[in-house]
Structure formats: C-alpha cells, structure tokens
C-alpha cells in the first residue's frame, strides 16, 4: 500500500528571510510537517487493522485522525511551494499570470479587496488554522475559506491554490503572539507563479468534475 512521504523543501531554510527565519522553516518542515505525514500513515495502518479484525469501536476517532493528518500534509505541501524569497507584490499579466489576476478581480472586485479578505480570514481564524484561496468548481470562481485546524468550514470540492498557515508554530518564535503581523508579512513571499499554475490545473480538473447527472 502506498504511504505518504515528507516532500523536500524547494529552497534552503534561509530562503524566506527576513519574513520567516531559518529556525522556523526547519522546525516547521522537519518536525511539524513530518508529524502529519507519520500521523496519516499510522492511521492508515490502524484502519487496516480494524478492517482485518472487523473491530469498529474506534472508527470515528480514526476517521477524524486521518482527516486531520492528511489535510495537514496536503496543506503544508502546498504552503512550501506557495512561497519564494523573490516573491510578493501582486499577480500581473506582464509576469505571465494574467489569467490568475483576472480571476481574482472577477471574483473579489479587486486585488486589494481579495488581499484584505484573505488577510482577515487568516488572522481571525479561531484557534489554529489556515486562510485559503480556493477554486470552487461549481461556479468556476475563486473563494476565500477559513480552515479550522486542517479541515472544516470549506466548500466540498473546492481546491486550495494559495494557503496561509496561521498555526502558532508557523510564526511564534519570530512574531510572538502577533499573528496579524505575520500574515501581513506573508504577502512579501507569495509565489504567484506557483499559485497561477495551481489555478490553471484546478480549472482543468474542475471542468471534469461531474456535480450533476
């Protein structure tokens, strides 16, 4: 059976300075993300054991654990590629990401409106969670979602293309309890090329998602 593996970072630990210091990147990737990978694999083994023994007393907890760890793995895998040391600004047609820029304007009225909504959604997520820009295939538009922990409060079928990690482990060593300062700083490292590729891929896959007979 296939197992999940921790992906390598697409840059070195210091690549996102000064927005995110190397210590945070190392701990976040090598410890926290790795823990979600291990958790997903361990839960799959426990579910296989439950099937073999036809023992379903812990099924609710196991399904919740799988969703938690697998979603954490997926969101972090997107997160690392959503960032680059020479990123930031806003998506522009001159940079080859005009389709994404047009979609943001169409869905949110303006880039400024989108930026404000994702910033607020990320900074005000209760407890631990994420702010997410997602492609919603039923309408073909972009939406902003708040993800509590690693799942929940999302439109079914929506595909994340830009994620802001608002868990304390993503920023506390550097920004202390100032989550909003971290979210504001994150805009300086957004890799719009990566987001645009994810948007194009989501549109292509979303068009084939049969939501009605």
């Amino acid at each position: 059976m296939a197992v999940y593996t921790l992906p390598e970072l697409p840059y070195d630990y210091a690549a996102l300075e000064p927005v995110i210091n190397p210590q945070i990147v190392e701990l976040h990737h090598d410890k926290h993300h790795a823990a979600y990978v291990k958790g997903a694999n361990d839960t799959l083994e426990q579910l296989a054991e439950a099937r073999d023994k036809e023992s379903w007393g812990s099924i609710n907890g196991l399904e919740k654990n799988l969703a938690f760890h697998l979603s954490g793995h997926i969101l972090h895998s997107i997160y690392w590629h959503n960032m680059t040391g020479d990123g930031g600004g806003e998506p522009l047609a001159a940079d080859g990401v005009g389709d994404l820029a047009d979609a943001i304007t169409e869905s949110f009225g303006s880039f400024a409106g989108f930026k404000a909504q994702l910033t607020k959604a990320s900074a005000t997520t209760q407890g631990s969670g994420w702010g997410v820009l997602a492609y919603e295939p039923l309408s073909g538009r972009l939406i902003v979602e708040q993800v509590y922990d690693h799942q929940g409060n999302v439109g079914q079928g929506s595909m994340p293309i830009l994620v802001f990690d608002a868990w304390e482990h993503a920023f506390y060593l550097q920004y202390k309890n100032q989550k909003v300062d971290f979210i504001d700083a994150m805009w300086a490292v957004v890799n719009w090329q990566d987001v645009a590729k994810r948007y194009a891929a989501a549109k292509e896959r979303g068009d084939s998602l049969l939501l009605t007979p």
Side-chain angles (χ1 to χ4, degrees):
M1 180 181 294
V3 295
Y4 300 106
T5 58
L6 180 68
E8 293 185 3
L9 286 172
Y11 35 69
D12 61 43
Y13 296 137
L16 302 176
E17 285 193 297
V19 173
I20 308 177
N21 68 38
Q23 183 183 18
I24 288 178
V25 175
E26 181 177 8
L27 289 171
H28 195 169
H29 176 267
D30 295 3
K31 302 298 183 182
H32 292 281
H33 188 171
Y36 299 127
V37 173
K38 183 179 185 303
N41 289 328
D42 288 349
T43 306
L44 286 176
E45 291 182 2
Q46 292 163 16
L47 284 165
E49 182 179 357
R51 290 193 299 273
D52 290 342
K53 295 181 178 180
E54 296 187 3
S55 175
W56 302 111
S58 59
I59 184 64
N60 287 344
L62 289 174
E63 295 290 0
K64 183 176 181 180
N65 285 343
L66 181 61
F68 177 82
H69 290 296
L70 180 54
S71 294
H73 173 38
I74 291 170
L75 288 168
H76 279 94
S77 296
I78 297 170
Y79 179 68
W80 303 122
H81 287 274
N82 273 171
M83 297 183 289
T84 178
D86 57 359
E90 63 180 276
L92 300 171
D95 298 325
V97 292
D99 286 348
L100 173 64
D102 290 344
I104 288 174
T105 299
E106 182 177 354
S107 297
F108 300 99
S110 66
F111 177 79
F114 153 67
K115 181 178 179 180
Q117 184 175 344
L118 182 55
T119 296
K120 292 295 184 182
S122 304
T124 61
T125 301
Q126 292 179 338
S128 300
W130 302 70
V132 174
L133 172 66
Y135 175 76
E136 196 285 290
L138 185 60
S139 65
R141 65 176 294 140
L142 296 173
I143 59 174
V144 164
E145 299 176 325
Q146 285 182 318
V147 177
Y148 303 131
D149 289 335
H150 294 316
Q151 75 271 16
N153 205 33
V154 299
Q156 297 300 314
S158 63
M159 290 170 268
I161 63 173
L162 173 62
V163 299
F164 280 8
D165 192 341
W167 284 65
E168 286 190 346
H169 65 237
F171 63 88
Y172 200 86
L173 289 177
Q174 185 173 354
Y175 293 85
K176 307 308 179 191
N177 63 337
Q178 299 303 311
K179 182 191 296 187
V180 67
D181 290 345
F182 170 66
I183 300 302
D184 285 339
M186 274 288 297
W187 290 100
V189 293
V190 173
N191 184 348
W192 292 115
Q193 296 293 329
D194 181 71
V195 179
K197 290 177 182 177
R198 294 180 188 279
Y199 171 63
K203 279 204 307 179
E204 182 178 354
R205 290 196 300 268
D207 290 343
S208 63
L209 183 61
L210 299 179
L211 297 175
T212 56

